[in-house]
Amino acid sequence: MTNRKKKLLLLTAISAMLAGCSNSGGNGSGSESSGTNDGGGAAASKPLQVSITLMGGPKTPDAWVETALEEDLSAHLSRKVDLENLFLPGWSDYKTKLNLMMGDRKSMPDILWHSDMEKEYSSWIQAGVLVDLVPHLQKHGRNILDYYTEDTLFYSWDDGKMFRLPGDVAELGSMTTMLRQDWLDNLGFQTPTTLDQYVEVLRAFTNDDPDRNGKKDTFGFVGDHDWRAFAPFFYSHGVDVDQFLVQEDGTVKYGATMPQVKQALKLLQDLYAEGVIDPRMVTPNVSAGDLFAEGKVGSLYYWVSFLNAGHPKQMSFKEINPAGQYTALEPMLGPDGFSADVPSDGKGWSFVSVTGAAEEPDAVVQVLNRIASKETNTLIKFGKEGEHYKLDNGTFVNLINEDEGKQLGLDNYTWIITRKDEANIKNTPEVIQLFERRIETSQPMRDKIVFFKSSNRKEWSEYSAGLIKLRDETFYGIIAGNLDIGAFDDFVERFYKQGGKQVEEEANLLYASQREEREKFGEWYKTNIAPYK
C-alpha cells in the first residue's frame, strides 16, 4: 500500500469519527453552480479520492502542481481532495494502456482522458461503464457549460445524454496570414488586401532585397508541409482541399476536386518556379516555426500564438532580427470576392469522461468544474503569480526556466478541460483580440465545411488513405513543377474511380442526417443546458 493511500485511509477514519461526534452538516445545495463553492453535503465529511489519467505535460510524479491543485480543490469543495495521477505512456502505447484499464472496474480511473478511440468509446457506452454527465453538469457544471459553446457540446451529445466532455478544443480561429511589416515598409508597399496584391508583395519580398543586405537570399512565402499552410491561396478561391464542402445546391463535395483548386495550384506552381515559395515547403518534416525564426521569409500562414512577444520562436526571431516585425493580415480577397481564415472544427480532439468506478460522480464533476475555472486553469498551467511568473504591462514573463517548470509539474493536467481564453495568460491583449477577430474571419469557410460528428464512416475508412495519397502526390507534384497542371483533371477522374464516388455519397447521407440531429440537439439544449449556464 502506498503512503498516499495509507494517509487517505487514516484521514477517512478520522473524518468518519469526527462526523459521528458532530451534529453539523450541509444539505448538499451550496453554491456550486456558480463555480465559487463546489462543496457541501454529508459527503463533505470524508476525503474525496479521485484517480485521473494524464497524457500531457512532463508527467512529473508528486509534483508541486499536484499539491497546489489538491489544496485548491479542497478549499472550493469544502472537503479534502486527494488526487491519484495515472500517467499514460507515449502516443504509440496509450490506447493499449487505456483499454487494459477499462477492462476491469477495479482498474478504471474515476476521470478518463481519451483521444482517437471512437470505437472503444462507443463500446464503453454500450457496456454502461461511463457516466451520463448531464444531471451532474446541471447541478455542478456552470464553469464547464459557460466555457463550451453549444456547437462544441453537440459533438459530445448522444441522444439526450453526454458521456464525455472535450478535454482540449482549439480556438475557433487560430491561424492567420503573417507578413514582415518592416520589409513592407522598406519596399514602400501598402498592406495587401487582395490575392493579387499579396502575390505582388511576395514577389517583391523575393526579388527586391527587402532586408537590404545586398543579397538575393529571401523567400516570399513558406509554411509547414500541410495544406493549411497554403490557405491564402486556396481559401481566397473558396476551397479547402482537406475538407468536404457544401455546394450551392446543398450537396457535399470533397474540396480537393473542385475546379477552383486548379486555379490555385497553377498560381502556386508559378510562384514555386519563380523561387517565391521556399522549396523546403514541399518536403515532409519542414518546420515553418524554425524558418520563421531565421528571418528570411516574408510571409507565412501560421498560428496566432506565435505573435506573442514571449513565444520562444518569436524571441529567437527577434534575437536574429531585432528590427524585424511580423504583423497579422486579414484574409486575402480572391477573384470572386471570397475571403476566410482556417476554422477549427470546435469539437475537440481529446475528451474526458467519468467512469462507473467513481463512487461519487457528482463530486468528480465538481472537480472537473473547478479545473475548468479561469483561476484553477491558470494555476495548474503557469503556477503562482509573483513566484513562478509575472505580468509586465500585459506581457507574460516566466520567472522559472523550462526545467524548473517540469519539476513543478506545470502542464501535468493539460488537456483536462484546457481553457484557451483569458485564462491563457501567455496571450497578450493584442493576441487575444486577434483570436477573437479570427473567429469572425474564419466563419465564411466554417459555413461551407462539414465537420462530421459520426465516426461511423465506412466508405471513408476504406478509401481515404489511397485518396489522400493520390491528392498529395498530384498536388505537390504540380506545385513543384514535376507534373503539368493538366494532372489535376486526371486526379479528379481517378479520385472518383478509386472510391471517391462512394465516399461522397456517404458524406451526403451523413450531412443530411447530421443536420436533422443538430436541430434536435438545439431544442434539447434550450431546455437541458441553457438554463444552467
Side-chain angles (χ1 to χ4, degrees), residues 33 134 137-138 141-142 144-151 153 157 162 521-533:
S33 63
V134 173
L137 290 170
Q138 290 172 339
R142 179 171 289 181
I144 295 169
L145 299 181
D146 282 351
Y147 178 62
Y148 287 130
T149 67
E150 179 180 339
D151 285 338
L153 291 179
W157 188 67
M162 293 176 61
F521 169 76
E523 292 302 315
W524 177 90
Y525 184 92
K526 291 176 185 177
T527 303
N528 294 277
I529 299 298
Y532 303 95
K533 291 171 69 70

Side-chain angles (χ1 to χ4, degrees), residues 73 80 110 218 233 286 296 317 349 367 402 422:
L73 292 170
K80 179 171 176 57
D110 298 314
T218 57
F233 307 96
V286 64
K296 290 296 182 182
F317 167 72
W349 65 273
V367 167
E402 185 178 352
E422 59 267 30

Side-chain angles (χ1 to χ4, degrees), residues 416-442:
I416 306 296
I417 310 185
T418 301
R419 296 184 72 115
K420 300 294 181 68
D421 55 5
E422 59 267 30
N424 183 8
I425 56 177
K426 279 193 174 181
N427 288 337
T428 64
E430 294 77 14
V431 168
I432 291 174
Q433 290 180 6
L434 188 55
F435 272 123
E436 292 174 351
R437 175 60 182 156
R438 290 298 163 261
I439 295 176
E440 299 175 24
T441 57
S442 62

Side-chain angles (χ1 to χ4, degrees), residues 1 57 68 77-78 89 95 119 186 188 227-228 248 288 297 305 343 385 388 403 405 436 440 486 522 524 529:
M1 183 179 297
L77 271 67
S78 299
K95 293 181 183 179
K119 290 182 179 179
N186 286 346
W227 293 115
R228 290 177 300 189
E248 291 184 1
V297 176
S305 61
E385 185 174 4
H388 303 124
D403 288 338
E436 292 174 351
E440 299 175 24
W524 177 90
I529 299 298

